[in-house]
């Protein structure tokens, strides 16, 4: 990871007391583009001047690079990691487990082992949440079938892709993501089904896309409408 020296200089200037520092994202994977920033996870109980502060998400410019910093005390990390797990999008847990350590302070190995086991276990989705997700998809499918305005069709289809992709992943115990990470996780999980869902959408084939969503919805338990109580 060729940014380690720059990261260390940044830490000396901004977070000198950070004992655990992990670079994540495209920088850690060696997949940077000209717009890539440096995602940095920091964990230490002495990070902040205010003892009451437990977390900070901040963006900095340093030596021509943009740093996206996620900084936590041990308790702060626990709180936000559990929140991400509950939402099935454990971003900072992925950073911890999959990133590249720049500073490997005490407890890092134990943290990675513990949260790595949580990631490996996958999300747990209660029946009520699954039913609600199917209800939302059913409603969007009906809206898409009724839409005649091209802009409305594309907006609804985009929302429908997100909701259906999430349900496909969750139904098989896979973590979801937002933005670019949703199609990436879908393709990593099942390239064939990801292609089948996305191909008609990319081709502008709205009826074909709706048909494929209906097929995936049936695999996940079917339409949910009458009788559903929120």
């Amino acid at each position: 990871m060729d940014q380690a020296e720059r990261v260390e200089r940044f830490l000396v200037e901004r977070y000198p007391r950070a004992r655990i520092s992990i670079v994540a994202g495209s920088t850690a994977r060696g997949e940077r583009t000209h717009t890539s920033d440096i995602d940095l996870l920091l964990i230490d109980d002495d990070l902040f001047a205010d003892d009451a502060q437990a977390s900070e998400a901040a963006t900095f410019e340093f030596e021509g690079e943009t740093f996206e910093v996620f900084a936590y005390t041990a308790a702060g990390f626990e709180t936000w990691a559990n929140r991400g797990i509950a939402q099935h999008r454990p971003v900072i847990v992925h950073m911890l487990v999959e990133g590249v350590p720049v500073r490997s302070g005490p407890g890092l190995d134990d943290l990675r082992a513990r949260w790595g086991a949580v990631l490996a276990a996958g999300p747990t989705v209660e029946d009520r949440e699954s039913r609600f997700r199917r209800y939302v998809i059913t409603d969007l499918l009906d809206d898409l079938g009724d839409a005649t305005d091209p802009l409305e069709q594309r907006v609804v289809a985009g929302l429908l892709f997100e909701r259906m992709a999430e349900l496909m992943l969750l139904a098989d115990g896979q973590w979801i993501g937002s933005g670019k990470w949703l199609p990436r996780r879908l393709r990593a999980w099942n390239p064939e089904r990801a292609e089948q869902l996305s191909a008609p959408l990319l081709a502008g084939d709205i009826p074909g896309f709706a048909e494929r969503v209906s097929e995936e919805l049936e695999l996940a338990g079917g339409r949910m409408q009458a009788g559903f109580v929120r």
Side-chain angles (χ1 to χ4, degrees), residues 26-216:
S26 60
T27 302
R29 297 191 305 273
E31 300 173 352
R32 304 195 77 210
T33 69
H34 70 283
T35 61
S36 292
D37 51 29
I38 297 177
D39 297 320
L40 192 59
L41 173 67
L42 309 178
I43 305 173
D44 195 284
D45 284 341
D46 294 325
L47 275 177
F48 307 114
D50 183 354
D51 290 340
Q53 185 175 358
S55 64
E56 179 174 88
T59 304
F60 301 94
E61 291 292 332
F62 180 80
E63 295 186 0
E65 295 281 3
T66 301
F67 281 73
E68 292 284 350
V69 176
F70 302 85
Y72 305 92
T73 63
F77 181 84
E78 184 88 8
T79 297
W80 284 93
N82 280 315
R83 188 173 299 181
I85 294 293
Q87 296 171 346
H88 317 311
R89 294 184 181 91
V91 175
I92 62 173
V93 180
H94 280 290
M95 293 177 73
L96 171 70
V97 174
E98 299 168 0
V100 177
V102 175
R103 291 184 180 179
S104 302
L108 176 58
D109 290 343
D110 289 342
L111 272 175
R112 297 184 90 174
R114 175 191 167 196
W115 288 103
V118 173
L119 282 187
T124 299
V125 181
E126 301 295 335
D127 181 66
R128 181 170 182 80
E129 180 182 349
S130 177
R131 288 163 59 86
F132 177 70
R133 287 179 176 275
R134 287 159 52 203
Y135 174 84
V136 170
I137 291 169
T138 300
D139 189 52
L140 286 171
L141 262 175
D142 290 345
D143 285 346
L144 186 60
D146 292 339
T148 56
D149 179 82
L151 179 58
E152 290 182 9
Q153 286 181 334
R154 282 158 178 75
V155 169
V156 174
L159 291 172
L160 190 53
F161 177 88
E162 291 182 21
R163 300 292 86 79
M164 191 67 250
E166 289 175 350
L167 184 56
M168 290 164 67
L169 288 165
L170 292 172
D172 196 50
Q174 305 294 317
W175 300 107
I176 61 178
S178 59
K180 64 186 179 184
W181 281 104
L182 182 59
R184 287 180 181 182
R185 296 208 184 282
L186 191 67
R187 286 168 172 156
W189 164 66
N190 192 313
E192 182 179 356
R193 286 171 69 180
E195 174 66 17
Q196 290 171 345
L197 181 68
S198 61
L201 179 62
L202 294 173
D205 179 6
I206 297 300
F209 174 64
E211 181 180 357
R212 184 57 195 165
V213 170
S214 296
E215 292 169 355
E216 286 292 350

